Amino acid sequence: MITFVPGPHLLDSPRGRPWPRLPAPPVTTSATTPRATADVVVVGAGPAGLAVASALWHHGVDDVVVVDRDGRPCGRFFDRIDRLGQRVLRSPYEHHPGVEGYRDCELLDFARLHWARLTAVERREIRMAQAGHRSVVPVDVFEAYCAHLVASHHVAEKTWRGSVREVLPTADAVTVRADRFTVTAAHAVLCLGEERQDAPPSWWGGGRPPAGVSYWDEPVPAGERRIVVGAGLTAAHLISGALDAGREVHWVIRGSGERYQCADVNSSFFRPEGRKRFDSVGWADRLGLMARFRRASVMFEFRPRFERAEAAGQLVVHRGQAVERITTGTGGTVAVRLGGGRAATGDHVVLALGTTPSIGTGLLPDEVVGARDGWPALDERTMAFERAPRVSVIGAAAGMVLGPAARNIDGHRVATARVAAAVAAAVRADRPAAVHREAVGV
């Protein structure tokens, strides 16, 4: 069997290019907090929240409040990408936060419209996408496309900065309490994403990491010798950036070794037949599929770069090594104690240990979440909580409904189609009753 490994040049698309933007709508209010009531509250303005707000716009649901901790649609998403120095996405052109069932400008359309701004490598990737082959999307193109969606679907003026503290559903409404305001709506959609996985307490005794240790989404100080613990794409970007800066890197992989593949889950799960495969089995088998196919892996494009660095001694890979302890020594050095008495020593350790889906625990009452094996109890048709049908979820939390691809951009789009249709139908059904109550003064 012949394996084709794409070259690492695909990882180096430009970042920060100027892109034409649609004019922003005029500001019609000076309010610093949203209205107290709405038809729908969307919690989270990442790619999933953007997809939901855009889909509801197509359904004619305009009374929407989007609450986001940063107040910027997709702001935190791109901040994290830039912290890693990431230049391309793993998702292909066919995966984007557009809306299924409507003739929106899709990501591939957007890139082709701006053909003159693309490099020769980027243009070749578009041709690959048009031919139905796997392609690589520049972060720059994706960010400009998201800005286009924000402007064309009037998402920015519906987005408010706030940290949500509580989501309280009742039989006829949902109250979302943030740090600075409260909104009561007929429906809420939780687009909470995922949070980083913390290190086991045994590594240093629990609590905040010791000096010389940080997580992947935190600033990393300068240092000649870097230790990266993790086996996924985040770890790969951290390693690549350090190698480009001329640093020596130790890569600690707790599994048997690195795994290279195009997507972070098997591509079959992005297609209807793959989702059908997941739908057709029971809970125990679904858990097995999630464990098997939702594992850390690295894009093929990194492989030539890492193999050259390992052969040259700039990259030292510790495969199949359990981390027993992380200690800070004299002179500021940090040691990662591994199994078998081995150790990796450097100036700084960066932990990229994966993520955990945010399923609503801590916001919703526990009995509403109905957590089972770490997953919420959801209606598979509407993506709503079984015990709170006015609250829906999109993103990684829907994994036991949509399968391993739920956390990906295309999984967001599939979930959005279900949620937006169900919520819009419910909003339309509620409106005659609301008009009647207002007419009779109730």
Side-chain angles (χ1 to χ4, degrees):
M1 182 178 68
I2 298 175
T3 300
F4 169 69
V5 179
H9 58 278
L10 295 179
L11 299 171
D12 298 325
S13 285
R15 187 79 173 97
R17 287 171 283 189
W19 296 88
R21 296 181 179 249
L22 294 175
V27 177
T28 58
T29 177
S30 59
T32 58
T33 58
R35 302 179 308 280
T37 61
D39 283 337
V40 184
V41 173
V42 179
V43 180
L50 175 58
V52 174
S54 300
L56 291 173
W57 182 86
H58 280 285
H59 280 283
V61 180
D62 294 320
D63 189 9
V64 175
V65 171
V66 181
V67 185
D68 183 77
R69 71 181 72 179
D70 291 330
R72 299 174 295 143
C74 295
R76 187 167 177 246
F77 177 81
F78 289 110
D79 285 349
R80 285 179 161 187
I81 279 177
D82 286 337
R83 186 173 296 283
L84 295 173
Q86 185 174 345
R87 300 293 189 89
V88 298
L89 295 181
R90 192 172 200 164
S91 298
Y93 272 100
E94 63 188 283
H95 297 176
H96 57 87
V99 182
E100 277 193 344
Y102 297 89
R103 280 306 304 163
D104 248 353
C105 174
E106 297 183 355
L107 180 57
L108 186 58
D109 301 326
F110 182 86
R112 292 174 63 205
L113 284 170
H114 298 93
W115 186 263
R117 297 176 181 272
L118 305 178
T119 68
V121 171
E122 293 168 341
R123 293 176 183 178
R124 190 185 67 186
E125 290 301 294
I126 288 177
R127 294 188 184 100
M128 293 280 284
Q130 288 177 299
H133 300 296
R134 184 237 183 194
S135 58
V136 171
V137 180
V139 167
D140 227 38
V141 173
F142 188 76
E143 184 177 30
Y145 176 71
C146 288
H148 170 82
L149 288 181
V150 169
S152 59
H153 296 85
H154 307 281
V155 177
E157 56 266 40
K158 301 171 185 175
T159 303
W160 302 84
R161 183 175 182 176
S163 295
V164 175
R165 307 298 191 206
E166 216 171 17
V167 178
L168 299 175
T170 63
D172 56 3
V174 183
T175 298
V176 176
R177 292 178 179 168
D179 51 352
R180 299 187 303 109
F181 53 81
T182 296
V183 181
T184 299
H187 302 272
V189 184
L190 306 186
C191 303
L192 304 176
E194 301 176 74
E195 296 300 327
R196 73 184 186 203
Q197 179 70 50
D198 290 337
S202 61
W203 285 11
W204 57 75
R208 287 292 307 158
V213 181
S214 64
Y215 288 98
W216 63 270
D217 56 350
E218 300 172 327
V220 178
E224 289 304 312
R225 297 173 300 164
R226 184 79 44 85
I227 303 172
V228 177
V229 182
L233 188 58
T234 296
H237 282 295
L238 292 167
I239 293 165
S240 182
L243 293 175
D244 288 345
R247 296 186 173 92
E248 175 190 319
V249 182
H250 285 254
W251 185 10
V252 178
I253 303 173
R254 293 173 292 166
S256 59
E258 62 270 57
R259 297 174 62 246
Y260 291 101
Q261 60 186 46
C262 295
D264 59 346
V265 299
N266 188 292
S267 60
S268 66
F269 287 104
F270 292 112
R271 297 189 287 269
E273 59 270 25
R275 294 193 293 273
K276 182 65 176 176
R277 171 188 178 188
F278 196 80
D279 289 342
S280 63
V281 299
W283 185 267
D285 288 330
R286 292 187 187 192
L287 286 174
L289 288 169
M290 291 294 286
R292 180 182 175 188
F293 290 105
R294 193 179 179 273
R295 293 185 295 165
S297 63
V298 177
M299 292 170 63
F300 274 115
E301 284 77 7
F302 285 95
R303 186 172 174 178
R305 179 176 292 180
F306 288 175
E307 288 179 345
R308 286 197 300 268
E310 187 174 8
Q314 187 184 2
L315 174 63
V316 180
V317 185
H318 305 269
R319 297 176 176 90
Q321 295 294 316
V323 175
E324 296 183 349
R325 194 78 177 173
I326 299 179
T327 58
T328 302
T330 58
T333 60
V334 187
V336 179
R337 306 293 176 184
L338 306 172
R342 301 180 62 188
T345 303
D347 298 309
H348 196 86
V349 177
V350 188
L351 305 176
L353 308 178
T355 56
T356 302
S358 297
I359 65 173
T361 303
L363 297 181
L364 287 159
D366 288 344
E367 62 271 18
V368 169
V369 177
R372 178 184 178 190
D373 298 316
W375 300 99
L378 302 178
D379 182 308
E380 302 200 3
R381 182 179 56 86
T382 64
M383 316 297 292
F385 286 91
E386 291 180 351
R387 300 169 190 175
R390 290 183 177 271
V391 184
S392 308
V393 299
I394 289 176
M400 287 298 279
V401 175
L402 293 179
R407 67 194 298 248
N408 300 83
I409 291 169
D410 202 55
H412 299 167
R413 191 154 53 102
V414 173
T416 294
R418 298 188 193 183
V419 170
V423 169
V427 167
R428 286 192 294 268
D430 288 343
R431 280 174 180 165
V435 171
H436 173 73
R437 288 194 297 270
E438 182 177 341
V440 298
V442 177

